[in-house]
Amino acid sequence: MASSLSSIGVLWASLSLVAALLCCSGFYLPFWIQGRLLGKVDAYFSSFRRCNYPKVTAQGVVEIVQQCGRYSRFWDIPSPWWQASTVLAGLGSALSLLVALTAVAACCVSYVIHTATAKMAGTLQLLAAVLVCGGGAVYPVGWDNREVRDCCGNASHVYRLGTCQLSWSVYLLGGAVVLLVLCFGLSFSAAARVDKSAGAFRF
């Protein structure tokens, strides 16, 4: 099949797909921080999902729900900083996935990617990395909410986790950001052909 990509472009497309999978997985999986709930079970949080959380029954008894799930509504997310983190990291993940799908399509279809669009795609990947970093940066500002303090102790505060620790989804997001920045650099050599009509869009 014809391809729009150079050999470097094929590497770019492959890394773009890996970066998007890491980014979407890290965003969706609720293993950003890990704490201990009531000294009994491990609890996990991301910006909009959680695992193992307390629930008050109709009889007024506190029981631990041992499952993972998202908050019922966006406004139920316990911190406005976590709401902002959800929006930023979610947009970054969606953007990385969109570019990855376009890059993979260019491996099999001619004229999907040329010099100008490859550079534009790389710029979108850089923007995705910035959005994910922004989401990660504002997330710790919400560590002083009640749910985190129940698991991490009263010592937890802005950018201070108390007895909790970072979990592995954070490292997935970190790896995704590194790959997205690398893809931005590779995108400048990704196209197999130069679109002469795109001169006005050259960086």
Side-chain angles (χ1 to χ4, degrees):
M1 293 185 185
S3 173
S4 301
L5 302 177
S6 65
S7 56
I8 293 178
V10 173
L11 175 62
W12 169 68
S14 301
L15 291 178
S16 296
L17 182 59
V18 173
L21 291 175
L22 288 176
C23 199
C24 292
S25 298
F27 170 66
Y28 182 74
L29 296 173
F31 305 108
W32 290 21
I33 59 175
Q34 175 184 354
R36 193 82 175 160
L37 182 60
L38 303 177
K40 297 179 180 179
V41 297
D42 289 334
Y44 300 90
F45 296 95
S46 70
S47 62
F48 73 104
R49 298 185 75 224
R50 57 186 175 168
C51 289
N52 305 337
Y53 50 91
K55 179 181 179 181
V56 180
T57 65
Q59 293 74 30
V61 178
V62 177
E63 63 179 23
I64 298 174
V65 180
Q66 297 193 41
Q67 65 182 27
C68 297
R70 62 180 178 82
Y71 293 96
S72 300
R73 299 175 304 158
F74 179 78
W75 302 113
D76 289 335
I77 295 174
S79 167
W81 297 104
W82 285 17
Q83 294 168 4
S85 178
T86 299
V87 172
L88 291 172
L91 285 175
S93 299
L95 199 54
S96 71
L97 184 60
L98 176 64
V99 174
L101 293 176
T102 303
V104 170
C107 291
C108 305
V109 182
S110 298
Y111 309 112
V112 172
I113 294 288
H114 51 71
T115 304
T117 54
K119 291 178 180 178
M120 185 179 299
T123 302
L124 290 177
Q125 288 177 311
L126 184 62
L127 176 60
V130 171
L131 288 171
V132 172
C133 285
V138 300
Y139 179 69
V141 182
W143 284 351
D144 60 350
N145 74 69
R146 180 186 54 80
E147 292 192 18
V148 171
R149 288 187 169 176
D150 286 345
C151 296
C152 307
N154 291 328
S156 61
H157 197 58
V158 176
Y159 283 95
R160 192 167 66 237
L161 262 180
T163 59
C164 289
Q165 60 186 6
L166 296 177
S167 195
W168 54 273
S169 286
V170 171
Y171 302 107
L172 293 182
L173 288 172
V177 167
V178 171
L179 286 179
L180 286 170
V181 173
L182 177 60
C183 288
F184 167 68
L186 292 175
S187 68
F188 287 82
S189 303
R193 60 186 289 271
V194 177
D195 185 357
K196 295 180 181 179
S197 67
F201 298 96
R202 292 180 182 277
F203 292 179

